[in-house]
Amino acid sequence: MILTALEFLGLIAFAASGALAAVRSRLDVFGVVVVGLTTALGGGIIRDVLLGITPPTTLRTWPYLAVCGGTALVVFVFHPQIAKLRRGVLLADALGLGVFATAGTTIALNAGATPYAACLIGMTTGIGGGAVRDLLLREIPLVLRKEIYAVAALAGAALVVVGHALRLPAGPVTVVAAAVVVAVRMLALWRRWNAPVAKGPETG
């Protein structure tokens, strides 16, 4: 139950961030809903495909689509007010990253994936939807350009794997690991931490 609740919380967070990005790109209502759905469900679909779970879980159960689509519509209508809540939007995105990365790792472990594979699948679950969102909006995915994003997701996934190896309760471990991801992500934004970028010939 804890895992399901966290997953729906992550869906709402990612759908909202994706829809807001679509509004900023001047997409119509259909485009906003599509990008919101893709951002929220993309990582989970990639995870299920990698684990051989077909059709993907989010496409077999209607509440997933309903919650994400409804969230995107709310953002479309109230985007001026939501856009003013910049910190809230960033926190929502970080929350989605933490929930998806850790829940994805737990699901991968339960499906019999090795610890190494579970970490990678968990990270991909967290960053996959955002990467697809950026590609739809004709942008280089944020995770490839700057900021501590994938590293935070991978750290959370690793904590879940360690907790699993120590036979700790899955629910509390997932919650703690997700909180660590959110904390690292928000701290990176606050301190303006970025991954190193190679210097080109023009910059010396």
Side-chain angles (χ1 to χ4, degrees):
M1 291 180 62
I2 294 177
L3 191 61
T4 301
L6 287 174
E7 190 169 22
F8 272 98
L9 194 60
L11 287 172
I12 293 172
F14 267 5
S17 66
L20 191 59
V23 167
R24 289 173 179 156
S25 295
R26 307 296 299 168
L27 271 62
D28 63 16
V29 61
F30 179 74
V32 170
V33 172
V34 168
V35 174
L37 286 170
T38 302
T39 307
L41 304 179
I45 291 174
I46 294 172
R47 175 202 66 208
D48 287 353
V49 170
L50 290 174
L51 293 173
I53 303 173
T54 54
T57 305
T58 53
L59 300 184
R60 285 187 282 117
T61 311
W62 68 265
Y64 289 97
L65 293 172
V67 168
C68 297
T71 300
L73 287 174
V74 169
V75 172
F76 180 81
V77 175
F78 297 104
H79 67 87
Q81 293 86 346
I82 295 174
K84 294 178 182 178
L85 305 174
R86 182 175 180 276
R87 291 183 179 178
V89 173
L90 290 174
L91 179 59
D93 186 76
L95 180 62
L97 178 68
V99 169
F100 273 47
T102 54
T105 306
T106 300
I107 292 171
L109 289 170
N110 291 339
T114 64
Y116 169 74
C119 282
L120 294 182
I121 290 173
M123 180 187 69
T124 302
T125 305
I127 69 176
V132 176
R133 172 201 64 205
D134 292 345
L135 292 175
L136 286 175
L137 299 177
R138 296 189 298 178
E139 298 178 2
I140 298 174
L142 177 67
V143 68
L144 301 180
R145 288 185 284 128
K146 59 180 180 178
E147 300 182 358
I148 305 300
Y149 201 83
V151 173
L154 186 59
L159 286 177
V160 172
V161 168
V162 171
H164 183 267
L166 296 175
R167 300 182 182 277
L168 299 176
V173 168
T174 301
V175 172
V176 171
V180 170
V181 175
V182 174
V184 171
R185 174 67 180 146
M186 297 306 294
L187 184 61
L189 288 171
W190 175 50
R191 301 292 297 176
R192 299 184 184 276
W193 291 341
N194 291 298
V197 177
K199 294 184 178 180
E202 67 281 359
T203 60

